[in-house]
Every structure is written in C-alpha cells, then in structure tokens.
Amino acid sequence: MSIVIDKSGPFTHGPNTVSKTMFTVLAALAPATLYNLWLFGLPAILLFIVTMAACALCEAACVRISGGNPDRALGDGSVLITGWLLALSLPPWAPWWVAVVASVFAVCLAKHAFGGLGQNVFNPAMVGRVVVLVSFPLQMTSFVSPKPLFTPGSPGLSESMTIIFGRGFSLDGISTASPLGFIKTELSKGVPVTQSLSSFPSLGDMMIGFHPGSMGETAVPLILLGGLFLMWRKIISWHIPVSMLATLFLLGTIFSTIDPARHTGGMVQLLSGASFLGAFFIATDYVTSPVSKSGQLAFGFGVGLLTWIIRTYAGYPEGVAFAVLLMNALTPILDQHFRPRVFGRTRKGEPLPVRGDK
Amino acid sequence: MKLFPILGGIHPEYRKELTSEKAIVALPLPKTLYLPLQQHMGAPANTTVSVGDEVKKGQVLAKAQGAISAAVHAPTSGRIAAITEMTAPHPSGLPQLTIMLDSDGKDEWAEPMAAIADPFAASANEIKTRVAEAGIVGLGGATFPSAVKLGLGGQHKLEILLLNGAECEPYLTCDDRVMREFAAQVVDGARIMAHALGAPKVIIAVEDNKPQAVESLKAEAAKTPNVEVVGVPVQYPMGAERHLTQAVTGRETPARKLTADVGVVVHNVATARAVHQAVRLGRPLVSRVVTVSGGGVAEPKNIEVPLGTKVSELLDFCGGISKATKRVISGGPMMGQPLPSLDVAVVKGTSGILALTQSETNEHASSPCIRCGSCVTYCPCGLVPVEMASFIRNDKLDLAAKIGVQDCVSCGSCSYICPSHIPLVHFFNYAKGKIAALDRERRKTEQTKSLVEAHNARLERQAQAKREAAAKAKAAKEAAEAAAAAQAQPTIEGGANA
C-alpha cells in the first residue's frame, strides 16, 4: 500500500455521479416519449433518431476539436438529454434538416462555443428550437393530429421516409395548428376565445395528449409522472416547476375571469403547449437555472410570467422556449441576489446580534 | 424534548456496525511511546524532563506554555530516551519536537494528585486548575484545552452545558462505547463541568443511532436532577458545536462568536469522562479510546490506547491492514486527516484510525461542475460552495471571503454530495489558509509601517527637543549676555555716575 496525500477530506463520497443524474433524467422522460412516439407514429420515431444522432455527432466533433475525450463526453449523458429534449420540442413530422440545423445550433453553438458541459448560459435544446422556429416558421408550426402506430392512417415505413427525408408531408392536407396557435389565429380574426374554445379539444383529450402539438408536450400525465419521479430521486426540487406552473395558472385564471373573450383560462394554459415539459424538464436544467432555492422560485416565477406574456401578447402562440431563454440570461443575476442566509448571519451578511445586545 | 431543525446536512453511510458492538479493550503496553509536545490547539508544551530521566506514569513531561496550551504526561513508567524532532501526525508531515519514552514494563503510577473530595463544594477555579493540570483537551477532535473552555463561566451567563455525544462521523464508535460502558463517569464529569461553568443544566445529546448509549446515560441521569439525555436526528454534521446547539436549544450562534454567547458551552462526552478521572481520581490524561476500523483493517476494534503509541503498532494489534487499503485516516472519513506515515503517534485528538479501501472512499476523477446546486442545498452553513469554488479557482479570494468562505466549517457535506466529485473543501481550506496568511502579512506590514512611523516620530521629537534645547540655550545665553550687558551698563552708568 502506498499512502496518498493529495487533498483535504472528506475521504468518502456519495454514490451520485454526473452520468447517473443524466440517465435518471432520461429514464424519467422515457414513458412520455414512448407514448408520444406511439401517438405520432413512425415518422416521429425517425425524427427522434435523427435528432439524437445529430446531437451526438456534434458533441463528439466539438469535443474532439477541443482536444477532449469524445467517449467520456458522450458517456456523461448530457448531450443525450439535449438531443432528446430537442426532438420532443419539434413538430413530430418535421423534415430531417430542421432537426439537423437545430442540433448543430444547440450543441455546437449554445453548448460548446461557451466552453462545453456546465459552461453554457442558455439551455441548448431551447436555443436549437428557437433558431429553427424563427428560421423556418412554416415547418415549425405545421403539426399533425395524432395518428397512433398500428392504427389505420398511420404512415408505413416508406411513407414515413418520404415525410421525414423526402418532400415532407402534404402541408395542405393534414397539417394543422396547435391549440394555442389556433386560438391565436382566431383571435387575430376577431373571434373571441370563448367561441374558438368550442372547437378546441376537450380538457380530457388534452390531458391524454390527443391534440396536435410538439412531439413531447402532449402527454401531460406522463410528463408529470416523470417529474415526480425526478423529485422523488431528489434530482430536481419542487421550486421551479411549482412556481412556474402556479404563476401560469394564476395569470390565466385571473385574466380569463376579467376578460374571457381575450384570455384562455388557467387549465388551458397548463395543459396546452409545453407547460409541463418546460416546468419539469427544461426550466429545471441545472446549468442554466439558479443554484439556490429562493433563486429557483424567482426563476420559475419569471418563466411562468414570460410564458404567459408571450402567449398572450407576442406574435408566437408558444412561449415556453422564449421564456426559458430569457430567464436563462437572468440566471447569473438571480444567483447573485438570491443566496441562502449564512448560518449565524443576517440576510445582509452581518453577524446576528448577541442576545441582550439589541 | 422539543428539537429544532438544522440546515442542510447529509446522510453518509455510517458503517458503525463494524465496531459498535466491540467493547473497549486495552492495548498491550508498547515498548516505546512518542509524545509530541503539541497535541492541542495553541502553543506547544514546554519540556520539564531531560534525556535519561526516570519517570513514573502520570508524571508531567511538559508544561503548558501560555494561555492556550496543555500539559503532557507520561503514559507509563520508564526512561526518557530522547527529545527529538519526529514526523507529526498531521498531513503536512512536518517534524515536531517529540519526547521518546522507553517503557520499563512496570507501568507504575507516580503519586497521584489528591482527589477533590467534594467537587460541588470546590470553587470553579479549583476545578479549572485541576483540569489544566491533567492536560485535558477536547477529545472530540478539536483538541481545544478544556480548562480554558471551563473558564467561560466567568465572562458569560451560561444556562446549559451541552454534552456532545452525537458522534456523527461514519465509522467512529469510540464515544458510543464510552457512553455505554462508562455512563456514570460521563454524567459525573458533566456535572462537575457544569458546576465549574455555573451552568444550571446539563443536556447530553446523542444521535438516535446509538440507542444503548442513550439508555445507559438515561439510567444514570435519572439519579441526578438537572441532567437530561436527548436523542437527536441522525444527520451529519449534527456533532458540529453550533449545529448541535441549534438542534437542541433552537439558539443560533452569531458568526464570529462562541456558543457561550447564546448561553451554551459544548464539551465532548469523552472529555467529561477525562474530567471525572482528573477530579475524582487525580488521574491526568494519559490514554484515550480510539476506534480502529475500515475495510482495510483485519479486526476492527475499540481500544484504550496509551497516548504516544505508534499508529503502525495499533494497526498491528488489529491484525494489520490489507493491500486493498487506499487511504489511512486519523479521525472520521468526513473531517479526518490523512496520515503522512504509519510511524506517527496516537495523540489526544486521535478519535479513530481508519484504513479505507477504494470502494469505501468511492473516489473518482472530478468532472465539470453542472451547477446542480446540491452543494447549496446540503450546506449546513447556508453557503454557496459552487460560487465560492469558482471565485477561488479564478483567484478572487476577496470575493470568496465576501460570500462567506471563512464561515465554512469544512464539514465536507458539499464534497460528499457533489456528483462531479469536485474536491470543494480542498478549495476552501486553501482559501482560508491563504486569506489568513494575507491577513497576517497585511498586519505585519501595518505593524512595520507603524513602527517606522513611530521611529520617525521619535527622531523628529528628538530633533525637535534638540532644536528647542538649542533655542533655549541660545535664548538663555542671549539673556545672560543681555543681563551681563545690563549689569555692565549700570556699572558704566554707575561708573559714570560715580
């Protein structure tokens, strides 16, 4: 035996590692993903594979260029989460090149240009999504209604290949808007929300994901299940999801009560779009969210507020991706202003008064 | 009894079952004992013996020097073989003045100090003096001279003596065994200390994973009023002085102050036993209970060890250590220190000797920080380790200090929990050392500056005095001349008149 003295204690370590954490997140995403891949059929599966592969390739290339070990980088699982979340945030039948462009921006620009794992300011998957959303709005807002695998109307392999790798699906024929997009368009035509809601999927259908939308955002109960699993495994805490969803719900409820013709209610805000996926899996991204609990509460509130504002007043029907990115930019400031109180000190950092000193 | 939550904290694998059921055994007397003169916080002790002296067990070998220091006594009878520099049981591995004592095998006691017949009638000072004479230091590991801490009653209004039996470090069971086997001595020692402190109440806090210790102490405490035994949650670092105080009393000690400022003094349970022995039996501190454990040790044990025993001998007594041993630690795995060699001595602060294997240390190369915030969540001091580490890495020590790196107690919760295996405590210890060194440097510069200024001022004063004296002399001379002239004038006048 040779005695090694190279560092201070502790000389024992917990079982947690970066890759364990990352793969737990993937496990939590799996049920919702599988359900949605089934719901949107073979084209969605192909697109998912394309996105994951593109992200992994980008990661390997960037790490190799910067002189790192690509195997180790892929092994930590972080890029798989990026690819996975990116795939879930694309329209399920989007063409392959949309996925590839998004992947390149997500991994090479948003992650590695900032220095790789842990250094990025913005959530890579959301950067990828937003880049293609503003570049290719047509492809990014053409959704399909669910066509589950093994049911009539679900495209076969060759048709799926054509949809993803070929000339795309016939936009006129089956493309449709997401519920929030639909309401937005109707509103711009002067149709009040109360009326457009009538041709809206029922809240029940929205719960089980039977409505057009991005690949991973439509199965609310399974996303919630995954989120609760992450909380149980102590990977994430309740602070960001609860403050974000509560803010969104309260704003929706308050404003739809005041003016139901212009505003959707709290439940619609929660169940449509990427609210749940965003709350549990995107806004909670470690690297780009604050480290303290109070900072996380503020961050969640900010994401909820911005999501609601963008959905209500901006040109895009969807707000989560933009809201997350905007709050990512504020994370360093939140980290500075929301620190826990130090033991034995006041919030301002002065030592507590000694008893009787007051 | 109502308990209060503490901030953060972790639940490491405790692994106490290796030794918790092993009753304390005595170590066969080693041939030679090595007694460093610094086994405590503060100034090293001053030798009172010379090479060749014959000494008896319990005889003073070195006296306390200065306000914070502790005496060293002979753990057995024999001859002083040498007083020389030897590797200290400290990770630095620096040499330190050490007394080598060759045992004569008789283990003969010197005339003991007289027992204090009724300690509760004795003055606080009498007890304090006895504890100082016995060379007792905090046996929990911090090794602060106990007598100094017993003097706190003079300056503070104390309400509670909190006896720390939490023993929250994994592996260690020495305090557990002392509480189980010597509950009466522990309670008696605690009552004596409370008397000296002027604290009306004793609370003994033990982590809930030591039910037998709680039971033994409760049985003993029932015999006397004002002693309460309380089980506290199993949560590292419950045994940290300030955190235990908060958990039991709800009182938060202000930063840079002592628990005494909130009316509480904390002593370790083994220290209480040592006080009992010093006061009731007149016995100085010459041995302590050490847990020898870890996956690398053939037969883990709890051993009453004469101070000065070589670690290698202690390990041999436990069947030696296996090749799988990766690290040998003095103390617990969370806050203990790596030993520079197995040829160092067991000292007053040695609570455990652990031989840990790779699977126990679970050490991995560190990977980039993913800002997961675990270190923030689990820090029991409300600090932001991720941010402090990043400041320190970028050599911004002033910023690290500003957000509290000096409030860190080095408990290691953040490093333990970090998924990226970043040695955070290592960063903080470095920063604390560096900041202290810079502070010393600055104070020294200021002192030099003020000395130079004083010197210049003195020179200036002297020059001024000289000038003044010269001016005075000149004035006096002129006055004298004037007077002389004046005198001469009337003479002339007189002469003229005459």
Side-chain angles (χ1 to χ4, degrees):
Chain A
M1 188 209 104
S2 65
I3 291 181
V4 212
I5 296 183
D6 52 4
K7 66 170 181 108
S8 311
F11 296 100
T12 179
H13 198 283
N16 200 13
T17 64
V18 171
S19 57
K20 260 186 205 169
T21 304
M22 299 288 178
F23 284 101
T24 310
V25 174
L26 292 181
L29 271 174
T33 310
L34 290 174
Y35 175 74
N36 275 16
L37 290 180
W38 168 78
L39 207 58
F40 291 107
L42 215 44
I45 295 175
L46 290 176
L47 186 70
F48 184 80
I49 294 170
V50 168
T51 318
M52 292 289 277
C55 282
L57 278 174
C58 290
E59 173 91 356
C62 288
V63 171
R64 170 146 300 166
I65 289 167
S66 59
N69 177 353
D71 290 344
R72 199 176 162 202
L74 291 175
D76 71 33
S78 63
V79 76
L80 301 182
I81 295 189
T82 302
W84 196 304
L85 286 174
L86 185 57
L88 294 189
S89 69
L90 296 176
W93 289 16
W96 66 274
W97 50 268
V98 167
V100 171
V101 171
S103 301
V104 170
F105 274 93
V107 177
C108 301
L109 194 86
K111 185 177 177 186
H112 284 280
F114 285 90
L117 180 62
Q119 304 289 313
N120 49 300
V121 177
F122 297 101
N123 183 316
M126 289 305 100
V127 170
R129 174 186 151 83
V130 162
V131 166
V132 287
L133 180 63
V134 297
S135 314
F136 316 113
L138 182 64
Q139 283 79 1
M140 284 299 289
T141 51
S142 301
F143 297 98
V144 287
S145 294
K147 296 198 169 26
L149 274 177
F150 319 119
T151 57
S154 177
L157 183 59
S158 66
E159 202 187 334
S160 302
M161 296 288 277
T162 318
I163 289 169
I164 301 297
F165 297 105
R167 51 181 172 73
F169 61 96
S170 151
L171 292 175
D172 305 331
I174 44 178
S175 116
T176 174
S178 67
L180 284 172
F182 173 72
I183 289 175
K184 182 124 230 154
T185 318
E186 293 295 289
L187 205 51
S188 69
K189 286 191 267 179
V191 182
V193 171
T194 27
Q195 192 181 326
S196 57
L197 266 179
S198 58
S199 48
F200 204 70
S202 71
L203 280 181
D205 269 357
M206 293 195 50
M207 279 285 279
I208 59 163
F210 261 89
H211 63 89
S214 292
M215 203 189 288
E217 62 185 41
T218 69
V220 170
L222 291 174
I223 296 282
L224 179 62
L225 199 70
L228 293 177
F229 171 73
L230 287 187
M231 283 190 201
W232 174 63
R233 301 294 303 156
K234 294 212 159 93
I235 302 282
I236 61 171
S237 65
W238 59 269
H239 299 79
I240 291 178
V242 168
S243 71
M244 172 182 160
L245 293 175
T247 305
L248 201 51
F249 177 78
L250 285 177
L251 286 171
T253 307
I254 291 168
F255 281 85
S256 74
T257 312
I258 295 171
D259 184 0
R262 292 197 51 84
H263 296 280
T264 48
M267 281 315 278
V268 175
Q269 287 286 346
L270 285 191
L271 294 176
S272 58
S275 308
F276 270 76
L277 184 70
F280 288 99
F281 290 94
I282 296 170
T284 51
D285 170 35
Y286 284 156
V287 178
T288 55
S289 64
V291 289
S292 73
K293 299 292 173 236
S294 50
Q296 289 171 1
L297 282 177
F299 182 87
F301 167 76
V303 175
L305 176 70
L306 288 173
T307 301
W308 182 83
I309 289 176
I310 294 166
R311 282 179 178 180
T312 309
Y313 298 109
Y316 288 93
E318 263 300 341
V320 173
F322 290 106
V324 167
L325 290 177
L326 288 168
M327 288 310 292
N328 286 165
L330 288 183
T331 291
I333 295 175
L334 293 179
D335 267 338
Q336 251 183 54
H337 290 275
F338 291 86
R339 292 200 187 95
R341 185 176 68 82
V342 176
F343 188 87
R345 291 185 184 272
T346 62
R347 285 228 158 265
K348 283 187 178 151
E350 300 296 321
L352 290 178
V354 177
R355 286 189 312 162
D357 265 12
K358 298 235 166 113
Chain B
M1 185 170 175
K2 183 180 156 22
L3 291 174
F4 301 83
I6 65 169
L7 208 61
I10 54 168
H11 295 92
E13 269 209 60
Y14 279 91
R15 296 196 172 109
K16 289 180 188 272
E17 68 288 347
L18 287 169
T19 50
S20 61
E21 299 314 313
K22 305 272 180 75
I24 300 168
V25 294
L27 184 81
L29 201 56
K31 269 208 185 65
T32 307
L33 295 168
Y34 305 84
L35 299 147
L37 294 178
Q38 173 129 40
Q39 305 192 30
H40 51 264
M41 258 189 207
N46 248 343
T47 47
T48 54
V49 290
S50 339
V51 176
D53 284 3
E54 296 285 338
V55 296
K56 291 278 168 61
K57 183 173 182 175
Q59 189 180 324
V60 177
L61 301 183
K63 268 191 171 157
Q65 173 184 220
I68 300 179
S69 186
V72 177
H73 300 78
T76 187
S77 57
R79 195 178 137 272
I80 304 296
I83 301 175
T84 176
E85 297 223 307
M86 288 186 59
T87 309
H90 179 271
S92 69
L94 290 174
Q96 191 188 89
L97 212 54
T98 303
I99 299 176
M100 270 174 71
L101 171 62
D102 278 340
S103 157
D104 59 12
K106 293 181 204 149
D107 206 26
E108 259 178 344
W109 278 95
E111 188 67 30
M113 299 178 273
I116 298 177
D118 182 2
F120 301 106
S123 73
N125 210 35
E126 199 178 335
I127 291 167
K128 205 183 118 182
T129 309
R130 169 55 57 89
V131 170
E133 281 168 354
I136 298 172
V137 302
L139 297 180
T143 66
F144 192 81
S146 303
V148 181
K149 231 169 153 183
L150 284 183
L152 286 170
Q155 306 128 42
H156 296 83
K157 195 177 150 9
L158 301 175
E159 290 147 41
I160 297 167
L161 165 65
L162 183 54
L163 211 55
N164 187 349
E167 198 167 50
C168 60
E169 278 269 8
Y171 294 92
L172 301 187
T173 57
C174 49
D175 285 353
D176 185 9
R177 291 312 308 187
V178 165
M179 289 186 280
R180 287 200 219 179
E181 297 177 34
F182 304 104
Q185 298 187 11
V186 169
V187 171
D188 184 60
R191 292 181 61 223
I192 294 171
M193 287 200 281
H195 168 69
L197 287 164
K201 189 166 181 182
V202 177
I203 299 176
I204 309 180
V206 184
E207 266 193 359
D208 284 331
N209 57 4
K210 304 171 194 58
Q212 292 99 326
V214 172
E215 214 169 288
S216 321
L217 289 170
K218 272 195 173 151
E220 210 47 57
K223 297 175 191 164
T224 57
N226 308 332
V227 179
E228 196 170 351
V229 181
V230 49
V232 292
V234 181
Q235 178 183 359
Y236 180 87
M238 188 53 82
E241 189 169 274
R242 285 152 193 257
H243 291 86
L244 191 65
T245 301
Q246 179 165 48
V248 174
T249 67
R251 298 176 191 173
E252 186 174 339
T253 310
R256 309 249 161 268
K257 296 281 179 186
L258 304 172
T259 55
D261 287 299
V262 294
V264 181
V265 167
V266 184
H267 278 284
N268 173 268
V269 284
T271 311
R273 181 188 171 214
V275 168
H276 162 88
Q277 291 179 332
V279 171
R280 299 280 190 183
L281 313 172
R283 257 191 67 179
L285 183 70
V286 292
S287 68
R288 68 156 297 149
V289 182
V290 179
T291 300
V292 180
S293 189
V297 175
E299 303 159 47
K301 283 177 179 155
N302 283 305
I303 312 170
E304 178 95 43
V305 185
L307 299 176
T309 304
K310 263 196 184 173
V311 167
S312 54
E313 270 183 80
L314 194 57
L315 289 170
D316 286 343
F317 180 64
C318 298
I321 55 174
S322 72
K323 281 211 173 64
T325 302
K326 176 127 192 260
R327 286 188 183 273
V328 179
I329 309 293
S330 160
M334 296 300 296
M335 289 190 73
Q337 298 193 311
L339 288 175
S341 127
L342 299 184
D343 283 330
V344 296
V346 169
V347 288
K348 292 175 182 177
T350 311
S351 48
I353 298 289
L354 306 180
L356 303 178
T357 60
Q358 164 63 31
S359 70
E360 291 174 298
T361 58
N362 190 24
E363 277 182 23
H364 289 286
S366 50
S367 48
C369 171
I370 53 169
R371 290 176 39 88
C372 68
S374 301
C375 54
V376 185
T377 309
Y378 292 99
C379 176
C381 299
L383 299 170
V384 189
V386 46
E387 208 179 342
M388 298 196 303
S390 120
F391 283 146
I392 295 164
R393 215 191 279 259
N394 293 310
D395 213 19
K396 292 177 180 160
L397 291 179
D398 49 334
L399 291 180
K402 205 175 151 211
I403 61 168
V405 71
Q406 284 145 305
D407 289 318
C408 164
V409 296
S410 297
C411 72
S413 298
C414 54
S415 301
Y416 177 87
I417 210 78
C418 176
S420 299
H421 289 245
I422 298 167
L424 293 159
V425 178
H426 196 69
F427 281 103
F428 305 149
N429 286 346
Y430 161 79
K432 281 187 266 185
K434 190 87 191 239
I435 291 169
L438 288 174
D439 261 5
R440 269 198 303 279
E441 193 68 25
R442 211 188 47 233
R443 267 206 302 276
K444 211 167 144 189
T445 315
E446 270 165 21
Q447 208 175 11
T448 313
K449 213 168 117 192
S450 70
L451 282 178
V452 169
E453 272 166 11
H455 179 71
N456 288 343
R458 197 169 64 241
L459 288 183
E460 177 57 29
R461 265 202 315 279
Q462 281 169 354
Q464 178 76 23
K466 235 180 218 166
R467 277 197 301 276
E468 272 168 18
K472 226 184 209 166
K474 198 175 164 198
K477 199 173 156 199
E478 276 169 3
E481 273 168 10
Q487 219 162 26
Q489 201 73 22
T491 315
I492 296 166
E493 274 169 19
N497 288 344

